[in-house]
Amino acid sequence: MNEPEVRKPQDGEEKQRDPVARFWLSALRVALVVGLIVYILSHLTGGFSEPMKTSLAKAYTEELTLALDGTVVRDEVLLPATATGAVSYLYADGTRVRVGAKVASVYSGYADAKTVGELAEIDRLTDLLADAEVDGTSSVADGVKADAEIRASLLTLADKTRRGEYGGASRETETLLLAMLRRDAILTGEGGASALLSSLKTRRASVAASIAGSSTDVYTNTAGYFYSTADGYESGFDYASVESLTPSGYRTVLNAGAQATDAVGKIVLRAGWYFVSAVKKEDALPLSVGSSYAVDFAASDERINMTLVAKNEENGEVLLVFRTQSMPEGFDFSRTQRASVVYGSVTGYRVPSGALRVVDGVVGVYVRSGSTILFRTADVLYESGAYAYVSTESAPVTFYADDEDETNDMTCKGLTLYDEVIVSGAKDLFHDKHIN
């Protein structure tokens, strides 16, 4: 078999190709050299550096707070259930009720939830209208008093609606209805709520007869503030001796856990209540017994002024006991609370904590003044999160004054208002450095 013939390029062809190849090879070399030069110059001139970022030094006031995990303690009496079943409550949590007031009904034996709901609503309206009934001894003066109650209720209703307290506005609407019925019955001699009551009772009898079941009413034997929940800690803390409670006594109650209860609710006997929390001794140092503090409760997003009535120390730990009479509408009185107490405030220039530097043992920041970098001393008063609060009167300092070489002495002033504090984007900083 004949071998294939390999054609060799002629001398003329090789000479024609070489100039083209040499041109592109030379161009590539030039591009690489130019790119390398540009890369080096960019590094030398900061071309690849992050742009310098600064933050103006401005004065802010920051609250000084102590975070607390604690417990709410109130003077509470349980409302035991006299039957089992679905419970309907007549009052909203926090409502003040009188001695012997009917506060709930327990519906037993009803399988139909819809029927239970209808019965509960009829009973609630019946109890509401019963309060509007007047007897034959009522006078015109009583009617005038009811008229004044209507005007006051209207103002309260408007105020709660304006503030977005729609739960309170709904309850105030019922109060307004009762006052209007009483006034009309007294001043006009009309039957007031009698006709409505008769109609409701007839309807209830019809609904109750349609399905098997029974209802049991729950009454209070004491006056106070009604709440529909019980967590089992009602008898754990002795309200009368809370102010003498020690950290170990506090933990004993918590470790014992909640007590089993079949209560349908509870009555809080008085408005005064406590918030107690155990902290380290050193954390309690800024707080003074007898002083009033703002306490922010996370669950309710509510700030309440409370008096510190006790700081009971034991083995390096302190039980803080705060007390108040304030019971804001809608406040979450859950037993366990996360809160923070405000014990003071600090005013200073707020700068990012990452901008702080140490030169010759002195804390300060670098600032930009036109095309010059300067070092400013910064007496840090307080740090919170990502920020530090610096004194508005930080003292000037002469650096390297102790090395007996006056030529390198450097005097730097303190941080001043509206200084441009360098936050990022600058390297190799030093006092009196010039930049482009």
Side-chain angles (χ1 to χ4, degrees):
M1 179 180 294
N2 296 327
E3 295 290 333
E5 180 181 357
V6 178
R7 182 179 180 276
K8 295 182 180 180
Q10 302 297 318
D11 291 342
E13 291 177 339
E14 186 174 356
K15 290 180 180 179
Q16 288 178 352
R17 292 177 182 176
D18 284 347
V20 176
R22 284 198 299 270
F23 170 78
W24 286 112
L25 183 59
S26 298
L28 178 60
R29 288 172 179 170
V30 171
L32 288 174
V33 171
V34 172
L36 182 60
I37 292 172
V38 171
Y39 181 80
I40 294 173
L41 289 176
S42 295
H43 269 289
L44 292 175
T45 59
F48 291 111
S49 301
E50 176 190 356
M52 183 184 293
K53 294 182 180 179
T54 61
S55 175
L56 288 179
K58 297 180 181 180
Y60 291 85
T61 297
E62 174 76 357
E63 291 181 336
L64 305 179
T65 62
L66 174 62
L68 303 173
D69 288 312
T71 304
V72 169
V73 179
R74 297 191 289 175
D75 194 4
E76 302 163 319
V77 175
L78 291 173
L79 292 171
T82 55
T84 59
V87 183
S88 172
Y89 297 99
L90 275 68
Y91 299 101
D93 285 354
T95 304
R96 178 79 180 180
V97 296
R98 65 182 186 276
V99 177
K102 176 183 172 183
V103 294
S105 294
V106 181
Y107 297 88
S108 306
Y110 290 99
D112 185 0
K114 181 179 179 181
T115 301
V116 171
E118 186 175 359
L119 285 175
E121 182 62 16
I122 291 174
D123 288 344
R124 193 186 70 81
L125 290 174
T126 300
D127 291 326
L128 179 68
L129 293 173
D131 286 340
E133 288 286 79
V134 297
D135 54 32
T137 63
S138 300
S139 64
V140 174
D142 294 319
V144 173
K145 181 180 178 181
D147 196 57
E149 290 176 355
I150 292 173
R151 290 195 296 271
S153 185
L154 284 170
L155 292 174
T156 301
L157 180 60
D159 181 61
K160 290 184 181 297
T161 302
R162 177 180 58 82
R163 290 186 294 175
E165 297 176 3
Y166 299 113
S170 176
R171 293 191 294 274
E172 192 61 37
T173 301
E174 295 180 349
T175 301
L176 176 61
L177 172 62
L178 294 179
M180 294 176 68
L181 287 171
R182 282 196 296 270
R183 181 198 61 180
D184 292 346
I186 294 170
L187 298 182
T188 67
E190 296 179 358
S194 298
L196 291 174
L197 275 171
S198 178
S199 175
L200 284 172
K201 290 176 181 178
T202 300
R203 174 58 183 165
R204 192 194 191 289
S206 174
V207 173
S210 66
I211 190 169
S214 62
S215 64
T216 304
D217 296 330
V218 179
Y219 296 88
T220 67
N221 56 11
T222 183
Y225 302 91
F226 170 76
Y227 287 86
S228 60
T229 58
D231 61 8
Y233 282 97
E234 284 75 16
S235 59
F237 292 97
D238 180 13
Y239 181 86
S241 60
V242 172
E243 295 183 20
S244 60
L245 190 63
T246 63
S248 60
Y250 171 63
R251 296 192 190 286
T252 296
V253 176
L254 295 182
N255 292 336
Q259 302 299 310
T261 177
D262 61 352
V264 297
K266 62 191 173 188
I267 299 295
V268 176
L269 300 179
R270 63 195 80 204
W273 57 280
Y274 295 97
F275 177 65
V276 296
S277 178
V279 299
K280 296 178 181 178
K281 180 181 178 180
E282 55 269 26
D283 291 339
L285 291 177
L287 304 175
S288 301
V289 174
S291 298
S292 179
Y293 297 96
V295 182
D296 294 324
F297 290 90
S300 303
D301 192 21
E302 188 88 39
R303 170 169 288 191
I304 298 179
N305 289 325
M306 306 188 79
T307 301
L308 181 63
V309 295
K311 286 175 60 175
N312 301 325
E313 183 182 346
E314 182 183 60
N315 299 326
E317 193 175 29
V318 172
L319 190 72
L320 301 174
V321 183
F322 295 91
R323 191 177 190 280
T324 184
Q325 294 281 119
S326 178
M327 295 177 63
E329 183 175 352
F331 184 78
D332 183 350
F333 275 103
S334 296
R335 187 71 58 185
T336 301
Q337 297 273 351
R338 177 161 291 178
S340 60
V341 55
V342 181
Y343 61 83
S345 64
V346 62
T347 298
Y349 299 132
R350 191 177 75 178
V351 300
S353 297
L356 297 175
R357 300 288 185 271
V358 178
V359 174
D360 196 24
V362 177
V363 177
V365 294
Y366 285 103
V367 302
R368 178 173 183 168
S369 179
S371 60
T372 305
I373 302 297
L374 301 174
F375 187 77
R376 298 291 196 215
T377 64
D379 296 332
V380 178
L381 303 174
Y382 180 68
E383 283 194 63
S384 174
Y387 293 98
Y389 293 81
V390 175
S391 172
T392 56
E393 299 179 355
S394 296
V397 173
T398 300
F399 294 88
Y400 314 117
D402 297 333
D403 61 4
E404 299 181 356
D405 182 3
E406 295 182 358
T407 60
N408 68 351
D409 287 358
M410 178 181 74
T411 300
C412 298
K413 296 188 292 186
L415 186 66
T416 57
L417 186 65
Y418 300 131
D419 274 346
E420 290 187 66
V421 178
I422 297 174
V423 178
S424 63
K427 298 179 180 179
D428 302 323
L429 297 176
F430 56 85
H431 182 67
D432 214 21
K433 176 180 179 179
H434 291 274
I435 57 176
N436 295 327

